[in-house]
Amino acid sequence: MENKEIARILNETADLMEIAADDGFRIRSYRNGASAVEGYPERVEAILKDPSRKVTDIPGIGKGLAFVLEELVARGSCERRDELLAKYPASTLDFLKIQGLGPKSIAMLFEHYRVSTIDELERLCLDQKLRVLPRMGAKLEEKVLRSITQFRKSAGRFLLSFADRTARELTAYLMEGGGIESVTPAGSLRRGRETAGDLDLLVTGRGAGEALERFVNHPGVAEVLGHGENKASARFGHEGLQVDVRALPAGSHGAALQYFTGSKEHNIALRNRAVRMGFKLSEYGLFRIADESKVAGETEEGVYEALGLRWIPPELRENQGEIEAAEAGTLPRLVELSDIRGDVHMHTTETDGRASLEEMAHEARAHGYQYIAITDHSKVMAMMNGLDETRVVAFAKRVREINSGIAPEGDREDLGIRVFSGLECDILKDGTLDIAWDALAELDWVIGSVHSHMNMEAPEMTDRLLRALECPHLRILGHPTGRLLLHRDPFPFDFERVAAEAVKRGVLFEINASPERLDLNATLARTAKALGGKFVISTDAHHPKHLANMRYGVAMARRAWLGPEDVLNTRTADGFAEAIRRN
Ligand code: DGT
Ligand code: CA
Ligand code: CA
Ligand code: ZN
């Protein structure tokens, strides 16, 4: 179990305890434990399993919590959580995911209305019954209704990063069984979609049949949903992600890969094309209708070729013009992870990051990058110790010294990588930037991001962003729509208008590669490109290990049809410096 997941369950348990009005001291110990675990550099599970170590050595973890952690890692829950889940309706955990409803409001709703399902909660809002309760109002009813819609849309979906990690883990496990040629993720994961409904794994090789058996016996399998000759399905892990594993017969690997990669819309269009050409396309191959002879199926390339098409990268297979482009030979050369030469959005211990500039630089070098930009938060983020003007200016000076080889005091080590001095500057409610322009002028790279007052109406948000674009030092809009996948919708604004203005002013668009954000999404990035926009793909890393999230941002860029020329951090350090220089 990852630390993050442990922290999530601890916080969830604390929420349940708050609904039950448990002792405040005990609730706080769970919450403190959650942040201690989440920020801990080592895997807590590994410490628990090592008899020579003690989890109580982690600051914030006492004896009581140590016992809870053991339970969590062993079985995904703990005693108090089980008690509370038995006491309250089954959908209580869902209620906690509804924005605007904290544990106290939920307790009040239980007490006054005995609601037990999300549908009942929706009814209460529609009947305007929340507003009569203390500290609730019409605005909250609206917010809860919006959040219910969002909840239903995201229920049962998982982040791309989670699906990807699970796929890697299962692939390694299945390969160990022997006799396996390949395990390939298909479906939405192969297409790089930001969330996955379930995981589709295709297994080839003479041991493929046994691999199904091996899969359902994996210790992480929570529930076997089906197990036949060619396919096994199961719910996996505490999170309950459904995994479909298919054993493919030799000779039709390509057709099966094509079919199970989807999307459904792409497949339907492709099948219709096949029929028009006198073929029948299925997961078993491409067959001539006239004599049922097999035309293709061994490789994906062969299937597309027989249909008169270039091979189409999976990320484009959404029936959004890719088949026409493949026919005309105009598919773009998409950006690849290996094109990326620098990561230009990251935080350090100066604000809410977990590592120093040097540690981040070191990790970036390990990724083979030529440059990084350090972009800590600005002063309005007081809880995170955001930079004020004085610190911004001092930081810019320090970076100039680093780059010129005069190492700052106490540090004589050459970083071996070019550093750009940056800032993730908050775009305040009125659209002004959080830092004075003359201080911003000292920096190489200013990201403007919205982190607060996100529930404005669209016209106000549009004005706010347009005003931010007036600052001549702003170089890029960071995570431009503010979405948090499965949690928070993008804030509404007139994207085309803001994008057009950004293009006019030479302001770039971020594709934020953080798995919870992936913002811009593919559709908006494609729109921005059509308007002449340029991009940067960056990780917003708060820890060295987050630099590895770059590939999810690249997947998003590929889904937006972007090539390396559209993405400025594919350039050399000099090229990037040139591109971001203000004229
Ligand atoms: P997901 O799981 O919701 O994230 O999305 P997918 O695309 O992975 O969908 P899934 O797992 O239901 O199916 C995997 C692929 O199998 C899908 O992308 C295309 C193919 N497929 C499934 N059902 C159909 C169908 O009814 N018709 C066609 N043509 N293809 C299908
Ligand atoms: Ca799927
Ligand atoms: Ca599936
Ligand atoms: Zn950031």
Side-chain angles (χ1 to χ4, degrees), residues 345-347 352 375-377 423-424 447 449 451 478-479 510 512 517 539-542:
H345 183 166
M346 66 185 71
H347 299 265
D352 62 341
T375 55
D376 272 308
H377 288 291
L423 181 73
E424 183 176 21
I447 303 174
S449 297
H451 290 120
H479 44 73
E510 180 180 47
N512 187 296
R517 292 192 183 273
T539 62
D540 200 352
H542 285 68

Side-chain angles (χ1 to χ4, degrees), residues 514-529:
S514 164
E516 290 86 16
R517 292 192 183 273
L518 296 176
D519 181 9
L520 292 176
N521 72 18
T523 313
L524 293 180
R526 208 174 163 191
T527 304
K529 174 175 165 152

